[in-house]
Amino acid sequence: MGTPGPEQKKSILGYNVITGEIFFAKFATKEKAKKLSANEIKVYQTLADSGLVPVLYDYSITPDYVFLKCECYKGKHIDHFLTDEQVLTILNVLQNYHFEENVEQIDGLKTCFAHNDFCLWNMLSVNGHICLVDWEMAGEFPIGHDLFTYIFQTTFFIQNAVPTNIVLKNNLQLIKKYFGDIDYIPYLKHFVDYKINFFSSGQNPYGLKRYMELKAIVEDL
């Protein structure tokens, strides 16, 4: 039944009695849950040829409910940080896509498709390949949004003893490699402000504290 609240959806795991294929499905009736599920359907359609999303078998979007049925990944959750090459391979694929037509800049920054929760807990190892799940919050974001999410969000919540300035220092080479000739600092500042706004609801004071620490460091760059 999912976690109670405005985002609650019914999740279904089943199989096709004719083909024997396992499938995964979601059924949403709450307003926010419907929007998230409809967004996920759009993601699967947009990235259908990317190799990063499950195959969308069927869907229905109505005023009363949103339903989607897709491929079920058979894999294991990743419990270790990826290599720089693995991270860049995935992000370089996403850079070729846009969630919104004719949107290639936000606040003067170049944009691309972003998962928006690009963290270890949303990654599976499937037959030796990295597959991403939980695309509900994906959209168009400034480039580097997913990279910064992977670096800071993952570290803050899994390796929370690592000081914020050390997290940035340890990943600076990866950041510069991703951005190339583009100045990464405006993109990092935009990301930090986005996360501070997200955590300012008060539901996660720890997350807000860590991103406020990062903001103070970024302002001095």
Side-chain angles (χ1 to χ4, degrees), residues 172-191:
L172 199 52
Q173 183 176 353
L174 173 60
I175 293 171
K176 291 181 177 180
K177 187 174 182 179
Y178 173 82
F179 278 90
D181 295 332
I182 300 174
D183 181 9
Y184 73 90
I185 295 176
Y187 292 85
L188 179 54
K189 288 182 176 180
H190 188 281
F191 167 77

Side-chain angles (χ1 to χ4, degrees), residues 2-189:
T3 304
E7 299 180 12
Q8 185 180 34
K9 297 168 289 293
K10 293 181 180 179
S11 296
I12 303 159
L13 185 63
Y15 71 98
N16 186 311
V17 294
I18 298 175
T19 65
E21 290 181 328
I22 297 175
F23 65 83
F24 179 74
K26 289 183 180 180
F27 183 79
T29 57
K30 297 182 178 181
E31 288 305 314
K32 187 171 184 179
K34 287 190 294 183
K35 290 180 180 179
L36 290 171
S37 296
N39 191 66
E40 191 166 10
I41 290 169
K42 182 177 179 179
V43 170
Y44 291 170
Q45 293 171 326
T46 305
L47 297 180
D49 63 347
S50 70
L52 294 178
V53 297
V55 176
L56 182 63
Y57 294 146
D58 191 15
Y59 71 92
S60 182
I61 300 176
T62 77
D64 298 321
Y65 69 86
V66 173
F67 169 79
L68 70 90
K69 177 183 176 182
C70 65
E71 174 187 9
C72 179
Y73 286 141
K74 300 176 184 178
K76 295 182 179 180
H77 274 287
I78 296 175
D79 58 3
H80 56 84
F81 280 80
L82 305 181
T83 64
D84 290 358
E85 290 72 22
Q86 288 175 312
V87 173
L88 292 177
T89 295
I90 297 172
L91 296 185
N92 286 337
V93 171
L94 286 176
Q95 266 196 307
N96 295 320
Y97 293 85
H98 288 281
F99 190 74
E100 300 290 347
E101 294 184 6
N102 303 318
V103 176
E104 297 186 5
Q105 283 196 348
I106 294 177
D107 296 334
L109 304 176
K110 291 178 61 178
T111 65
C112 68
F113 205 109
H115 181 282
N116 195 23
D117 198 11
F118 189 73
C119 299
L120 292 180
W121 46 83
N122 286 324
M123 299 180 184
L124 295 175
S125 176
V126 181
N127 298 323
H129 298 284
I130 306 300
C131 295
L132 305 178
V133 297
D134 198 5
W135 288 88
E136 293 181 343
M137 298 190 298
E140 191 81 8
F141 289 88
I143 60 172
H145 184 89
D146 273 348
L147 176 62
F148 295 138
T149 301
Y150 175 77
I151 291 172
F152 297 105
Q153 188 90 346
T154 304
T155 306
F156 288 168
F157 287 94
I158 292 182
Q159 296 182 336
N160 52 24
V162 182
T164 304
N165 63 318
I166 300 301
V167 178
L168 177 58
K169 179 180 178 181
N170 289 346
N171 290 280
L172 199 52
Q173 183 176 353
L174 173 60
I175 293 171
K176 291 181 177 180
K177 187 174 182 179
Y178 173 82
F179 278 90
D181 295 332
I182 300 174
D183 181 9
Y184 73 90
I185 295 176
Y187 292 85
L188 179 54
K189 288 182 176 180

